[in-house]
Structure formats: structure tokens, C-alpha cells
Amino acid sequence: MAGEVAHRVAVVGGGPGGLYAAALLKRLDPARRVTVFERNAPEDTFGFGVVLSDETLGGIEEADPVVHAALRERFVRWDTIDVVHRGRTLTSGGHGFAALGRRALLSVLHARCRELGVDLRFRTQAPPAGELATAHDLVVAADGLHSPTREAGREAFRPHLTAHRCRYIWLAADVAFTAFRFEIAETPHGVMQLHGYPYAPDRSTVIVEMREEVWRAAGFAGLDEAASARRCARIFADALGGRPLRGNASRWTRFRTVVNEHWHHGRTVLLGDAAHTAHFSIGSGTKLAVEDALALAACLREQPGVPEALAAYEAERRPVVQSVQRAARASLEWFEDLARYVHQPPRQFAFNLLTRSRRVTHGNLRLRDARFTAAVAGEAGVPPDTPPMFTPFTLGGVHLRNRVVVSPMDLYVARDGVPGDFHLVHLGARALGGAGLVMTEMVCVSPEGRITPGCTGLWNDAQEKGWRRVTDFVRAQSPTTAVGVQLGHAGRKGSTRVMWEGIDQPLAEGNWPLVAPSALPYLDGVSQRPRELTRAELTRLRGQFAAAARRAVRAGFDVLELHCAHGYLLSSFLSPLTNRRTDAYGGDLTARLRFPLEVFEAVREEWPAARALTVRISATDWAPGGTTPEDALGIAAAFRDHGADAIDVSTGQVVPYERPDHGRSYQTPYADRVRNTLGVPVIAVGALSSWDDVNSLVLAGRADLCALARPHLYDPHWTLHAAAEQGYSGPGAPWPAPYRAGSRTPPTGRTDAPRPRLAL
């Protein structure tokens, strides 16, 4: 029967997560015997303040009103964030935080556990989980980041720990900040940052963080806790009003992200930091542990047995935690690369910081603090009442009316490489749909360069005429829309079936020979083995790209993008995983770049200077030994220096064994890195699905243009609808004359009608 499980429970670790789990389990079943093993004394703790979200507090109130009432009496609340940079303080309101001291939190949980009859054993080292499991129905391992339980069960839990690039130290000040405070110090040794927040009427947590190399250059490696606190207090004296900082067994450390392939094994389950960690910059550690405890207790009540409950707990919590960890990783990396952004104008810098995790967006901030968001937009030159996505941009010599790009999408419906009616309707509809730039699919430079028999080309007159038909339609019906062509060659990924018949699978018949930098098949044992290109063939390929570029000029395209991504031919030269050549076109990055740059030069000679020339790259292969972030910067810089007007920054699809870190806008940090390191315009791609994403990226200065694919398959008029939903009707999103009557969101029926008054 559901709820009649885990009569004897051992909790390893007396932190907030373990204590709260113990209290809930005992409250739900008073007959349950719950024992908490904590090796430290009750008053021992590390760190100072704990921040909890309103969402988490709501869960606590629902699960145990007694705990919630006790916490509420001790909370310090505030709703503003201060960003202090180069002598200016930018304040954003409407955020809503609640914090209290860690000792106060533990005291509340200790009292609740004792009241409910939990057996609290302090100064007691827990027996190994395997031993506990012989005498208990359930062992909850809440024993922290360095969990002995997890380490003893490595074979079962399969943990992965990643150490990051910053050093940080937890300190405290006897002053209460009036806001969540981020302060930036640009020192002779490098950039340092302070994260601070109040946790009592007269006290604040202060975390000081900096890159490892800055930490060493500043001499912190040789300082003890007291000396480190004094040094940090001098660096951030303005924030502290000259007050000192103090520690609590504080030491400099590097943050470690913990991920476990499995959270439970037998009767043992991991909870909180033992199972997962997320960077402190999004205030998530205690929050996640408390939410874990809630979910575990609920699953034990709902499921018929411990195995089912632990499986349900992990299934419920894992996707939530993964989402938080993605946001935390984005935040962590933003602070690791803080030096990249210090040049930004003050308000843009503050907006960039606030939206760093991609969870807080332009739309969120407009709701929380419309005045702050309007000030950021005004500083950036965004006209009043204009969403950032509808500001114009000049790409090379081409004026774009807004920042939205219809990303290249292979359609696989051409015959003999000739674009037909489907292409006319597809691209024409999206040009009418409001995007500033509409891109073709990858257009192949030769019959052998196609991915599938359904791919388009630009190697003959019929194809050129077909593309001219498309550009003529756009010129006539949507004259302020730019049209771009993406030129490429499939390389070793060619001669395959169309996507819906088996992606990357070779043709059943009619295959053509493949070429590549090296004789490496894409799918071992499945794909055709390509022939390694000779010098003479490289020369011929350059000519094919140049000829296709000449045809693209005559076909009337405004923008040409050279496809050097996704494992196609030019991409295969760039990646060390696919280029094993020993001649001048293989080896180090300079050599691997040689042929793609030769092709770019050949195309540039044919392409008018008044039009725009861009390059798409894969900024990571998502595979060991592949393209690194430093390689990506080198590749982007080389194309920039050879005259590229923008870099279209994508990732992956180079090798089949890649392991992408999927998530909302997961590729945009790579575009951000290129733009803010090299100063070159970038096009961001990768799981962008909302106009809020576009507004956020543009206003934060992480991207100049945003390319969206699937949203434009779902809705050809995505951009116009984004304008209507934001109440915008300016020049950045003109509705075609025949469509103007539909430029308002249509009513949905009785549900949105005015409601009658039914009560006094």
C-alpha cells in the first residue's frame, strides 16, 4: 500500500537538506524511526547566509507550516540588485529575495526534528552506507559535496566532478547590504568580483571570486584565512564602508560541478550536493537540497515500495536539476569570462550580468523593473517603444531592418539541384513574414557536393535561374527583406538519403564518390569511405566555389555565407578529428585553416564589396580532441582578418559521437565569446525559440543577429507575430499590404470576453 514504506531511515549528514528530509519523513509517518548522523557539533557550520526563492518557500509552507512560520520570523527580505562597476551603481528592482543565517536555519530544523522525535546524533561519524542499509529500509546520503557515500559507491553512482577556472572564498561582514550586490574591481592583477547579500539585520555574506591566474598574480595563494579577509576588505573597501571581513573556516577553493549518472542504488539515495551542485551565483545549493527533500518524502508516500519511490524521485528531480545546472553553468562561465565584458557601457553591462544565466530575460526584467530596462535600451540607442530585436543593423554593406534571421534549413525537395515552387513558396513566405534576413539552405557547388539527391545547387544556368526567381519575388513583394545564400560542399557527409528516409544513411543505389580532407567515413561501417583530396582536386574545388559565387551575384542575393560548419567539407578541414593530413593542409590550426581560407579568398574576389560575406563555423565539436574554444577564436579571427563581415557561430555535427550540452539557447555562449573577444559581428544560433531570447541577446551585447530555424517552420510569420505580441508596429516589422488587416492578435472566443459583475 502506498505510504507504508521506509519504516527505518538513516540520514547521513545534518545539513539543511538532510535535516529537512528527516523532519518531513517523520512528520508524514510518526511511527517511522528516523536517525540523523552528523559528524560535527550542532553549532558547527560553514558559510554564513542562505538564500531561498519564493517558489521554494511556498513548497516549505505547503509541506510543513511549522518550519515555514519559524523561518519567516528570521528572514531578511529585499527586492533589488545593485551592480557596481567603474564607480557607477546600477539598481534593478522587483526581484524578491529572502535570506537568513545558516546557523539560524539549522537551529529551526534541529528544533523541528526534536519536536517530531527524530534521533539527532551529533559528533557521530555515520557507518558506511552499506552497513546502514542492513539495518535500515532507506539510507539518505546528504553528506555534501565531498560525499563519502557517493565516493564509496562510485561504481553504482558513476559521479563526474568538474573543477572550474575561478577561485572563491566565503566571508562575512558586519553590515547589511540593502540589495543583492555585485561589485567589480579591476586591479593590476586582473578582474575580481564581489557577490554579497544580507542574511541578518546587521550582517551580510560576502563571496570574493576571481580567475585562478588573477588569484595567483595577486598573491592570494600564499595567504591564510585572516590575511585573505584583510586583503579582500581593502579591495572592496567602498562596498564595505571600510569595515572588516571575517571568515568561518574559510579557504580559497575552486567550484566543482557534481553530476551523477545514477542517484540511487539499492536502499541508498543521494540528496543535495552529494547528488548535484550548481554554482552559488544563482543561489541554488540549499534550495535544491530542500526541494530534493520535498520530492523524496512525497515519492515515499505515493509509491508502493522503496525501489519505486527512489526511481520516481530521481525521475522527477533529474530534469529540474539539469535545467538549474545549465543555468548555473551559464552564470559560472559568465563570471569566469568577466574581463570580456568590462568594456561594455554601464547599463548594458548590468543588463548582461542580470541575464547571464538565460533564466532572467529582457521580458522578465521589463515586468520587474520597466524603468531600468528602458534605461538600458535608451543607452544602447534603441528607439522608444521598440523591442531590441526590431532595431536595424548594417551587415557589410547590407541594411537589415531587424535582428532576425531565418536560419538555413535543408529542404531536400530539389530536382537536379534546381530550386522549384516549394523553395519559392517556402522562402517567399518567410520573407513576407518579417525577418530581416532570409537564408537559403546549403546550396551545393557541384553535383558531388550534395548531401542528398534533393539538395539544391548553383553549378548551372537552370539553378541560377531558379534562384533568381526567388530573389525577384522577394524584391517585388518584400523589398526591405534581405536574401542570403549559403554555399557549401557536403564532403564525407554526402550521398545520403533525404532526412525523413534515414538521416546520414547512404543511398540504397546511385551513390556518388565522396571526397574529404582525410579518408575517414562519417559513420564507421555504414557510410561510404571518402577519398582524400589531392592538390589538383583542391584547386578544382576552389574554382567551383568561385563559380557558384559568381552565379550567386547574378541570382541577386544580398548576402553570401560560406558554410564551414557541421562536418561538411570545409568544416572537415578545420577539425583535428576529421583532418589527419600530413601535407600543408593538415596539422596545426594554421595549416587546417589554409584551404578554407583559400576558398574564402576565391569567393571574396567574386563577391561585390557592397554586399555582405559571412562564414558559419562550428565553435566546438562536442567531442574530446576536437575543436576547442581557443581554436574557435582562432578560426573566427582568421576569417575576420580575411574580410568576413560576420561570423555565424554554430556548434557540432562534425562527428557522430558528439555529446552536445543541449538546452535553451545552448550555443549562444560560443557566439558571445567570439563577439566580445574579437569585436567581430556575430550571428547566434541554437535552440532560440522566443522573441524574448532575441531581445535579451541583442540588448546584452552577446549577439548582433539571431538565426532561428524551427520556429520559422512552425510559423512562417514568426517575426510579424512577435511584433504584434509586443505591441510594435514600426519600420522594423512592416506588414505586407495584403496582410495588414491581420496585424492584430485575433480574439480567441468567449474566454476573453468581458466578464459580468456577479457579486457586490
Side-chain angles (χ1 to χ4, degrees):
M1 178 179 174
E4 294 184 0
V5 295
H7 295 295
R8 296 164 300 169
V9 179
V11 178
V12 182
L19 291 169
Y20 191 51
L24 288 178
L25 291 171
K26 186 68 173 175
R27 179 172 181 266
L28 290 174
D29 184 356
R32 190 177 268 147
R33 294 167 57 189
V34 181
T35 305
V36 176
F37 296 89
E38 170 53 55
R39 64 182 180 177
N40 295 310
E43 64 276 7
D44 290 345
T45 186
F46 304 100
F48 300 94
V50 174
V51 179
L52 295 174
S53 69
D54 287 341
E55 180 183 37
T56 304
L57 292 174
I60 292 174
E61 183 175 20
E62 177 71 21
D64 193 334
V66 173
V67 170
H68 181 267
L71 295 178
R72 188 175 56 209
E73 293 177 1
R74 294 163 173 80
F75 273 135
V76 174
R77 287 187 175 271
W78 71 100
D79 71 351
T80 53
I81 297 175
D82 285 346
V83 178
V84 185
H85 175 45
R86 293 186 174 176
R88 292 192 61 178
T89 300
L90 284 302
T91 300
S92 172
H95 296 278
F97 296 101
L100 76 166
R102 187 175 176 88
R103 281 198 175 98
L105 173 60
L106 292 177
S107 176
V108 167
L109 294 174
H110 291 159
R112 184 58 170 154
C113 283
R114 291 191 182 99
E115 178 185 353
L116 292 167
V118 174
D119 182 5
L120 297 178
R121 300 184 183 181
F122 295 105
R123 301 182 181 88
T124 304
Q125 183 69 46
E131 182 180 328
L132 286 172
T134 62
H136 295 82
D137 304 312
L138 174 66
V139 179
V140 179
D143 45 354
L145 169 65
H146 303 291
S147 169
T149 305
R150 183 189 66 226
E151 293 307 304
R154 289 186 67 86
E155 290 300 315
F157 298 118
R158 300 184 64 82
H160 302 274
L161 277 69
T162 304
H164 299 285
R165 296 180 290 170
C166 281
R167 290 271 182 170
Y168 69 96
I169 188 169
W170 288 82
L171 301 166
D174 293 329
V175 59
F177 293 139
T178 57
F180 208 126
R181 187 180 183 99
F182 295 99
E183 181 154 344
I184 313 305
E186 295 176 76
T187 77
H189 310 292
V191 179
M192 305 176 187
Q193 61 261 21
L194 175 150
H195 310 240
Y197 57 88
Y199 67 88
D202 58 351
R203 295 174 186 172
S204 294
T205 289
V206 174
I207 306 168
V208 177
E209 183 183 29
M210 63 198 74
R211 286 281 290 260
E212 172 88 14
E213 60 269 25
V214 176
W215 178 77
R216 292 192 179 280
F220 281 110
L223 301 183
D224 62 13
E225 177 188 65
S228 292
R230 289 193 297 271
R231 182 80 180 279
C232 290
R234 289 196 300 271
I235 293 169
F236 293 101
D238 288 346
L240 299 168
R243 296 175 180 83
L245 288 168
R246 54 186 170 80
N248 174 21
S250 304
R251 62 187 181 88
W252 291 98
T253 188
R254 290 196 295 166
F255 186 81
R256 287 169 171 78
T257 297
V258 174
V259 176
N260 286 278
E261 291 186 22
H262 305 287
W263 292 7
H264 68 280
H265 175 66
R267 297 179 179 180
T268 302
V269 62
L270 303 179
L271 184 147
D273 283 356
H276 45 69
T277 59
H279 193 248
F280 55 80
S281 61
I282 65 169
S284 58
T286 302
K287 164 186 161 63
L288 287 176
V290 167
E291 291 174 354
D292 282 355
L294 279 164
L296 178 61
C299 290
L300 284 164
R301 179 179 58 182
E302 296 162 357
Q303 299 297 324
V306 169
E308 295 87 349
L310 299 188
Y313 157 74
E314 183 170 342
E316 177 181 330
R317 289 296 294 159
R318 183 178 289 278
V320 175
V321 168
Q322 287 174 334
S323 176
V324 172
Q325 286 187 315
R326 282 194 295 269
R329 180 66 178 264
S331 178
L332 175 156
E333 291 178 346
W334 194 92
F335 282 111
E336 284 184 336
D337 295 322
L338 181 60
R340 184 187 300 156
Y341 306 111
V342 293
H343 68 280
Q344 290 187 318
R347 288 189 175 90
Q348 185 179 61
F349 176 85
F351 179 86
N352 197 355
L353 186 152
L354 294 173
T355 59
R356 67 195 181 277
S357 73
R358 306 195 291 274
R359 285 197 152 192
V360 176
T361 65
H362 175 265
N364 297 147
L365 285 178
R366 282 188 69 198
L367 289 173
R368 299 178 190 196
D369 192 339
R371 181 178 297 180
F372 170 81
T373 310
V376 176
E379 182 186 70
V382 178
D385 301 317
T386 300
M389 66 186 290
F390 293 116
T391 54
F393 184 76
T394 300
L395 180 63
V398 178
H399 175 82
L400 302 180
R401 66 191 180 200
N402 61 51
R403 306 305 184 94
V404 179
V405 179
V406 175
S407 198
M409 293 175 278
D410 290 314
L411 303 176
Y412 308 117
V413 292
R415 290 190 177 183
D416 300 321
V418 177
D421 289 347
F422 193 99
H423 300 85
L424 174 66
V425 173
H426 170 77
L427 294 170
R430 281 139 191 90
L432 294 173
L437 171 61
V438 176
M439 294 296 300
T440 69
E441 62 194 275
M442 184 175 86
V443 175
C444 305
V445 299
S446 69
E448 300 80 17
R450 292 174 296 166
I451 309 167
T452 76
C455 292
T456 57
L458 249 180
W459 67 80
N460 64 34
D461 292 345
Q463 295 158 358
E464 180 184 321
K465 182 179 178 181
W467 287 121
R468 185 77 210 197
R469 182 172 171 238
V470 172
T471 61
D472 283 348
F473 174 86
V474 176
R475 295 283 180 279
Q477 303 301 329
S478 187
T480 59
T481 302
V483 188
V485 61
Q486 186 186 68
L487 290 185
H489 186 295
R492 70 177 190 153
K493 295 178 77 174
S495 192
T496 63
R497 305 172 196 178
V498 297
M499 180 173 61
W500 48 89
E501 292 179 359
I503 191 167
D504 295 326
Q505 298 301 303
L507 295 170
E509 56 184 20
N511 287 280
W512 54 85
L514 303 180
V515 294
S518 302
L520 301 170
Y522 181 65
L523 296 173
D524 283 330
V526 176
S527 301
Q528 180 188 154
R529 182 175 295 276
R531 186 179 70 258
E532 183 173 306
L533 285 157
T534 66
R535 292 291 188 94
E537 288 171 325
L538 293 178
T539 300
R540 190 172 78 242
L541 275 166
R542 285 198 302 273
Q544 290 173 340
F545 274 95
R550 286 194 297 273
R551 290 189 180 279
V553 175
R554 295 195 297 267
F557 289 106
D558 304 294
V559 177
L560 188 151
E561 179 167 279
L562 188 64
H563 201 342
C564 297
H566 299 170
Y568 298 122
L569 182 69
L570 299 181
S571 171
S572 293
F573 273 91
L574 295 172
S575 172
L577 298 177
T578 50
N579 184 345
R580 307 287 177 79
R581 297 177 74 96
T582 57
D583 63 2
Y585 294 98
D588 64 13
L589 182 60
T590 299
R592 299 198 307 273
L593 268 161
R594 183 168 281 114
F595 183 64
L597 288 175
E598 288 179 359
V599 171
F600 181 84
E601 291 280 1
V603 168
R604 193 182 65 168
E605 288 180 10
E606 304 295 338
W607 193 247
R611 306 188 196 184
L613 182 57
T614 69
V615 179
R616 175 171 280 206
I617 67 170
S618 283
T620 176
D621 296 339
W622 299 111
T627 297
T628 66
E630 291 70 30
D631 289 340
L633 290 175
I635 292 166
F639 283 114
R640 175 202 61 186
D641 295 344
H642 281 72
D645 294 309
I647 307 298
D648 187 350
V649 186
S650 186
T651 65
Q653 301 181 52
V654 174
V655 292
Y657 49 87
E658 66 178 8
R659 295 286 298 274
D661 187 13
H662 286 302
R664 185 170 130 260
S665 62
Y666 71 104
Q667 298 182 88
T668 59
Y670 295 91
D672 181 350
R673 182 180 293 115
V674 169
R675 184 185 193 274
N676 285 293
T677 302
L678 303 178
V680 61
V682 299
I683 305 169
V685 303
L688 298 173
S689 58
S690 74
W691 44 259
D692 200 14
D693 288 336
V694 179
N695 284 329
S696 300
L697 289 167
V698 170
L699 193 57
R702 297 185 201 134
D704 299 282
L705 300 169
C706 293
L708 300 93
R710 287 177 181 150
H712 283 115
L713 293 179
Y714 181 77
D715 179 3
H717 295 85
W718 184 88
T719 308
L720 291 181
H721 292 157
E725 289 165 11
Q726 296 175 81
Y728 174 75
S729 58
W735 284 73
Y739 290 175
R740 285 176 192 158
S743 61
R744 294 181 181 178
T745 304
T748 57
R750 288 285 303 171
T751 57
D752 62 358
R755 294 187 178 275
R757 182 190 296 270
L758 299 176
L760 291 175

